[in-house]
Amino acid sequence: MTHKLTPGTAALLVLAPLLWAGNAVVGRLVHELVPPLTLNFLRWVLAFALLLPLAHGVLRPGNPLWAHWRRYALLGLLGIGLYNALQYMALQTSTPINVTLVGSSMPVWMLAVGAVFFGVSVTRRQFAGAALSMAGVLLVLSRGEWSQLLALRLVLGDVFMLLATISWAFYSWLLVRTSEPASVRADWAAFLMAQLVFGLGWSGSLAGLEWASGRTHIAWGWPLAAALAFIAVGPAVVAYRCWGVGVQRAGPAVAGFFSNLTPLFAALMSAAFLGEPPRLFHALAFALIVGGIVVSSRR
């Protein structure tokens, strides 16, 4: 099937990475105001409230989505409970540039998870592309000094982001390996709400463990309120909708390239709002990651 990339579709596919980059920057800005797991829980509580007028029918016992509750419970754990929580934990010690660049290694983990757990074969070109992307990730982890890899000097936040990326890879494969009717998936708000119902339980449980450990400080005020409003409306709801429409119009192969705009936007925002200008190794890492994706996706 031939997909046409129109200016409107391109705008949707650019807006989603822009919002995801903003999520990383805002998460870094408020990392001293609220614990990371609590931030994730509050974000999805607000997103749930926003979606409720659009998808309240999901909560009815007779809704056809509940026949697949086990699937949505797992999607809620991987995509809502773990991915975002690990990302916010990563931003406690790592920068938005590093976090989004490490997240750009997604194609590597998609290939690995698909091959090991879903029996999908990997081509030589995909192997070559994965090697380039992994080289970019290692460049970020080493801060541009390869000798650091030998000493295993890693920032904990980078490790958290790697775990988050692997979690998202499993989430993405489970989205593709669907069992519910197309009519059920057609309603994007209901589809997200079904995951949210379980995701709130998972994220709430993790936030409860965080509070039980003694991390209960929340600096309530306008800065935190504005941050919560943004990450709930933008990255959690608007970006999801824009990405879904963009992928349907342009196709996943074309849309995948747009996701790699996230670290570029994060670098620009970090320089503007956090005083963390990108360094040369960030540019080299970005080139390696994008080059790997281009090589692996060519036919």
Side-chain angles (χ1 to χ4, degrees):
M1 181 177 179
T2 302
H3 299 272
K4 183 179 181 181
L5 183 63
T6 65
T9 301
L12 291 173
L13 292 173
V14 169
L15 181 58
L18 179 63
L19 291 170
W20 289 330
N23 180 53
V25 173
V26 170
R28 178 65 175 177
L29 280 170
V30 301
H31 78 282
E32 295 182 352
L33 302 181
V34 58
L37 301 181
T38 302
L39 175 62
N40 184 52
F41 177 63
L42 293 175
R43 169 196 186 182
W44 289 110
V45 167
L46 292 176
F48 178 86
L50 291 171
L51 283 173
L52 192 58
L54 301 175
H56 56 84
V58 172
L59 303 179
R60 297 173 182 171
N63 191 284
L65 284 170
W66 294 118
H68 309 275
W69 70 269
R70 291 180 179 84
R71 167 174 159 76
Y72 288 103
L74 185 56
L75 290 173
L77 171 63
L78 295 172
I80 294 175
L82 287 181
Y83 175 75
N84 292 281
L86 287 167
Q87 184 182 43
Y88 290 138
M89 290 175 67
L91 289 166
Q92 297 288 301
T93 55
S94 190
T95 66
I97 301 175
N98 275 36
V99 165
T100 52
L101 275 172
V102 172
S104 293
S105 66
M106 178 62 68
V108 177
W109 303 111
M110 286 289 288
L111 291 176
V113 170
V116 175
F117 295 96
F118 294 91
V120 178
S121 60
V122 180
T123 66
R124 292 181 179 179
R125 189 177 293 277
Q126 288 173 325
F127 269 121
L132 283 174
S133 292
M134 184 56 70
V137 174
L138 292 176
L139 188 60
V140 173
L141 295 177
S142 67
R143 302 299 190 273
E145 300 179 10
W146 295 108
S147 59
Q148 289 195 22
L149 293 178
L150 299 178
L152 296 177
R153 295 169 58 189
L154 301 178
V155 174
L156 183 60
D158 297 335
V159 178
F160 281 139
M161 194 59 207
L162 279 176
L163 294 175
T165 306
I166 295 171
S167 174
W168 191 261
F170 277 101
Y171 173 81
S172 300
W173 276 106
L174 288 173
L175 285 179
V176 175
R177 297 301 175 96
T178 179
S179 57
E180 66 265 45
S183 59
V184 173
R185 291 172 55 90
D187 188 342
W188 71 273
F191 182 65
L192 181 56
M193 176 63 85
Q195 300 173 55
L196 258 176
V197 170
F198 294 101
L200 280 177
W202 294 117
S203 59
S205 299
L206 292 174
L209 292 175
E210 186 175 60
W211 277 58
S213 69
R215 301 193 64 182
T216 60
H217 173 71
I218 301 179
W220 292 110
W222 286 112
L224 180 56
L228 286 171
F230 169 74
I231 63 177
V233 175
V237 177
V238 176
Y240 186 95
R241 176 57 173 161
C242 290
W243 189 255
V245 174
V247 169
Q248 290 178 359
R249 293 181 180 178
V254 174
F257 289 100
F258 285 85
S259 66
N260 291 284
L261 292 171
T262 304
L264 176 61
F265 289 142
L268 296 176
M269 290 181 183
S270 294
F273 299 109
L274 299 177
E276 297 174 348
R279 296 169 58 185
L280 177 59
F281 74 83
H282 285 124
L284 294 175
F286 180 73
L288 286 170
I289 291 170
V290 173
I293 295 170
V294 172
V295 168
S296 62
S297 62
R298 290 183 62 186
R299 296 182 179 180

